[in-house]
Amino acid sequence: QLLSDTINAQHIIGAEEPILGSFPNIRFNTVSHLELVQFIEQVIMDVKPDYLFTHHPYDLNNDHHHVSLACQAASRLYQRRDIKRIRGLYFMEILSSTDWSYPSTGNQFNPNTFFEIGPDGLESKLEALFAYRGVMRDFPHSRSKEIVEGLAAYRGGQSGLRYAEAFQSVFNLLEL
């Protein structure tokens, strides 16, 4: 069910089919760090992306934490192999994971990069989220329609945009 929901959500937002490993859901802590890094490195070599977006390393979801650490390590593959260098690495926020992390860690999500999605993008995002069966919840849960809309409006207000997605830039190589 999760695979078909993922593919459906990707289609709704116009993204390519996801590249997924066969890692155990909610048990990435049982997979070696090296195995996760090598999987992501292989995807980087195959896809040759300019930018890498990953979870914030202090998400409450432990799988997100492990993916973030592996992506950070894999983003430096160019230093070990003759491949195209990634131009930027960004952390994303995930409702009910990033926002549920306790502030005592001192490492909260700190958005500094914003992309305008507008009303149409917000509508597509909501449709894609609802494509995941059993994931959306009633208000005031973080994964409710109202909170998703409110966060997009808030992030837009922070950046002077009409509804936005926020990211934390870890590094970004700019061309002058």
Side-chain angles (χ1 to χ4, degrees), residues 21 49 67 70 78 87 97 108 123 125 133 140 154 158 163 172:
V67 168
Y78 74 92
R87 301 194 45 73
S97 289
Q108 301 308 114
E123 186 177 318
K125 177 180 180 169
R133 290 171 272 184
Y154 176 69
Q158 283 183 302
Y163 301 111
N172 187 358

Side-chain angles (χ1 to χ4, degrees), residues 98-148:
T98 314
D99 59 322
W100 284 6
S101 178
Y102 292 105
S104 63
T105 64
N107 293 303
Q108 301 308 114
F109 179 73
N110 184 24
N112 56 15
T113 304
F114 302 84
F115 294 94
E116 186 168 30
I117 61 171
D120 292 341
L122 178 56
E123 186 177 318
S124 293
K125 177 180 180 169
L126 285 165
E127 185 181 347
L129 287 171
F130 277 102
Y132 285 96
R133 290 171 272 184
V135 168
M136 295 298 283
R137 302 279 192 263
D138 291 334
F139 182 78
H141 193 280
S142 289
R143 282 184 271 122
S144 67
K145 179 179 186 281
E146 294 86 353
I147 297 297
V148 172

Side-chain angles (χ1 to χ4, degrees), residues 41-123:
E41 287 177 341
Q42 186 60 55
V43 172
I44 289 171
M45 288 186 289
D46 293 344
V47 174
K48 300 173 183 61
D50 288 318
Y51 300 96
L52 185 60
F53 292 82
T54 188
H55 306 85
H56 190 275
Y58 290 93
D59 273 10
L60 192 58
N61 182 307
N62 195 256
D63 282 1
H64 295 182
H65 172 74
H66 288 283
V67 168
S68 180
L69 295 178
C71 284
Q72 290 175 63
S75 73
R76 295 192 176 272
L77 179 62
Y78 74 92
Q79 292 176 310
R80 297 187 309 277
R81 297 219 180 146
D82 185 25
I83 66 160
K84 176 184 168 189
R85 182 178 185 160
I86 289 178
R87 301 194 45 73
L89 174 66
Y90 296 88
F91 295 146
M92 61 185 162
E93 63 183 330
I94 306 293
L95 289 171
S96 80
S97 289
T98 314
D99 59 322
W100 284 6
S101 178
Y102 292 105
S104 63
T105 64
N107 293 303
Q108 301 308 114
F109 179 73
N110 184 24
N112 56 15
T113 304
F114 302 84
F115 294 94
E116 186 168 30
I117 61 171
D120 292 341
L122 178 56
E123 186 177 318

Side-chain angles (χ1 to χ4, degrees), residues 3-21 39 43 47 132:
L3 176 59
S4 64
D5 290 353
T6 301
I7 291 169
N8 187 27
Q10 295 283 105
H11 180 262
I12 289 167
I13 62 171
E16 294 178 16
E17 281 203 25
I19 300 168
L20 304 171
F39 176 82
V43 172
V47 174
Y132 285 96

